[in-house]
Amino acid sequence: MLEVEATIRRFRDYVIQQAKSNLTKGGKNSSKSLYNSLKGEIVTDKGFTIVGFKMDDYGTFVDLGVRGKSSSLKAPNSPYKFGSGRGRKGGLTEGINKWVKQKGFQFRDKRGRFMSYDSTAYLITRSIFHKGIKPSLFFTKPFEAGYKKYIDVDLVKAFGQDVETMVDYNLKDIK
């Protein structure tokens, strides 16, 4: 099953490489945490091969988006929603506070003075909470494209090549 395993490895590598590229191109790579967390694992057990992908927990929110508490316009098809009571309390606030300080990002008040990082983070957090997060599909698109390219087409060919190789090998043993 050499060709099958090689095809699955190419699928895994393609998905990871394209997902990382999408994060960078989409401006979603400021801390590099999500980028560095993307991993693909191939497990073979009892004749079955499974490909698994790992990333930081918040990666699924970045990929699929999150519906807002007041509006679902940004991510109407997302399975996630702010204000559902299932998420970790304060997680969004912590993340936005860290991002605002890391970027040195501050709004100005009506008089033109810079607001504190905490005030800026509060306004951004409140807006995200109510309006939601637009899906980036940084992982979904390469996964689907890789599936069509490698699994739907190449895997069938690879399986056929492996079977042909096994038959040839067994026929040589019989002679």
Side-chain angles (χ1 to χ4, degrees), residues 129-142:
F129 183 81
H130 286 286
K131 294 178 182 177
I133 300 172
K134 184 179 176 185
S136 69
L137 303 176
F138 79 92
F139 182 81
T140 301
K141 284 184 178 180

Side-chain angles (χ1 to χ4, degrees), residues 3-19:
E3 288 298 318
V4 169
E5 289 177 22
T7 301
I8 291 172
R9 262 190 252 100
R10 284 194 299 273
F11 167 68
R12 175 202 60 197
D13 295 345
Y14 172 83
V15 172
I16 296 297
Q17 185 273 325
Q18 289 296 308

Side-chain angles (χ1 to χ4, degrees), residues 142-160:
F143 182 87
E144 289 173 351
Y147 192 89
K148 285 179 186 171
K149 181 177 182 178
Y150 293 103
I151 305 301
D152 280 352
V153 177
D154 290 352
L155 191 63
V156 173
K157 289 178 189 173
F159 186 73

Side-chain angles (χ1 to χ4, degrees), residues 20-35:
K20 286 182 173 185
S21 177
N22 288 346
L23 279 174
T24 302
K25 288 177 186 175
K28 306 272 186 206
N29 197 17
S30 63
S31 72
K32 304 250 190 274
S33 175
L34 182 56
Y35 181 96

Side-chain angles (χ1 to χ4, degrees), residues 2 7 19 32 41 49 73 75-76 80 93 100 102 109 113 115-118 126 138:
L2 296 173
T7 301
K32 304 250 190 274
E41 186 177 354
T49 302
L73 293 177
Y80 307 110
T93 304
V100 164
Q102 179 184 22
D109 65 13
R113 298 175 298 180
M115 298 173 84
S116 69
Y117 288 125
D118 289 337
R126 186 178 67 180
F138 79 92

Side-chain angles (χ1 to χ4, degrees), residues 108-122:
R108 292 181 184 260
D109 65 13
K110 291 178 183 177
R111 291 195 208 157
R113 298 175 298 180
F114 284 111
M115 298 173 84
S116 69
Y117 288 125
D118 289 337
S119 296
T120 300
Y122 170 77

